[in-house]
Amino acid sequence: CQAALAAKYPHAGGDVLLRLDHELKVIGKLGYAGYFLIVADFIQASRRMGVRVGPGRGSASGSIVSYLMGITAIEPLSRGLLFERFLNPERVSPPDIDVDFADQGREKVIQYVVEKYGRERVAQIMAFGRMAARAAVRDVGRALDYSYGEVDALAKQVPLEPDMTLERALEQNPDLKAMAAEPRAARLLQVARNLEGLARHASTHAAGVVIGVGPLIDEVPLSLGSDKDAGRGVVTQYDMARLERVGQ
């Protein structure tokens, strides 16, 4: 950060130096210096490789450390952006730096991280597709050998809204509630409600990567990527939320 001051703040005043000193102390105290260095490194590597990377977005843009390290391209002080929205010692939560890479070059950046930190320490993150309300009705209907017409009629009564559940659908749609009075429909909906929200299939997160202090096999269960993920190698069997809880 000190090395970048002359180029990015050629006439740095006391406000710049005070802000930088404050941020560096907070980052160091909370133990996130390594995180910033790693993110800055693969962003710089992506630029060297000609992979397009965004200028930064979200709360990380409020950090002068992010700006000086080239993580973001947005000068925060002149825009009144607050560091505390990104990292606050009073409400400690892991810093979240959103980095956007072009789809065409993303694999190059992931491969760079693998080569730099070691294949045994780097993996992509598994994501789980969950059984949503309509999908649960259709899957259960097929498993119970109901006719397509029966299943389709019920499924179409489930509103297409984010986070819709069968319980809410029954409350909101009188037609679906009336159909549920019929024994066959009631059975299908009851089984579907029991399965709703369960993991239906696993896939690889589009860009989520975890780097371990040591070999990941010592910390989390791992799996080989499927054929469609050829070249992506190893993936964790935990999703992002569970990885956070084991400290990776």
Side-chain angles (χ1 to χ4, degrees), residues 7 12 30 46 70-71 79 88 90 92 100 127 135 150 172 178 186 205 213 219 222 233 236 241:
L30 298 179
S46 71
I71 293 171
R79 294 172 171 81
N88 191 330
E90 302 301 323
V92 179
D100 298 305
E150 287 179 286
Q172 293 179 15
H205 191 282
V213 175
E219 303 290 341
L222 302 174
T236 67

Side-chain angles (χ1 to χ4, degrees), residues 127-133 135-136 195-202 239 242:
F128 295 99
R130 300 196 174 273
M131 202 173 288
L195 299 178
E196 189 178 17
L198 294 180
R200 187 177 186 275
H201 61 273
D239 61 14
R242 286 165 179 79

Side-chain angles (χ1 to χ4, degrees), residues 128-198:
F128 295 99
R130 300 196 174 273
M131 202 173 288
R134 274 198 178 194
V137 170
R138 294 190 183 280
D139 284 355
V140 169
R142 282 192 293 270
L144 295 178
D145 202 26
Y146 280 38
S147 70
Y148 175 81
E150 287 179 286
V151 176
D152 190 56
L154 280 170
K156 285 182 176 178
Q157 294 300 323
V158 178
L160 281 173
E161 296 177 12
D163 302 319
M164 176 56 62
T165 66
L166 290 173
E167 184 175 355
R168 280 176 53 206
L170 287 165
E171 292 172 356
Q172 293 179 15
N173 188 345
D175 292 336
L176 179 61
K177 190 171 184 178
M179 294 170 73
E182 194 274 322
R184 282 177 60 82
R187 182 189 177 212
L188 191 157
L189 290 172
Q190 183 56 52
V191 175
R193 288 176 71 176
N194 290 334
L195 299 178
E196 189 178 17
L198 294 180

Side-chain angles (χ1 to χ4, degrees), residues 5 14 60 64 93 178 203:
L5 270 175
I64 194 173
S93 59
S203 61

Side-chain angles (χ1 to χ4, degrees), residues 27-96:
I27 292 168
K29 179 181 177 182
L30 298 179
Y32 291 124
Y35 175 64
F36 278 80
L37 290 166
I38 289 170
V39 174
D41 179 68
F42 64 65
I43 287 177
Q44 291 163 12
S46 71
R47 291 177 178 138
R48 291 195 301 269
M49 293 185 291
V51 178
R52 295 175 65 190
V53 57
R57 59 183 172 86
S59 60
S61 300
S63 167
I64 194 173
V65 169
S66 295
Y67 176 62
L68 288 169
M69 296 182 75
I71 293 171
T72 61
I74 300 161
E75 197 290 305
L77 298 187
S78 63
R79 294 172 171 81
L81 301 178
L82 302 176
F83 174 67
E84 286 71 22
R85 291 195 62 185
F86 171 56
L87 195 56
N88 191 330
E90 302 301 323
R91 184 175 55 83
V92 179
S93 59
D96 185 12

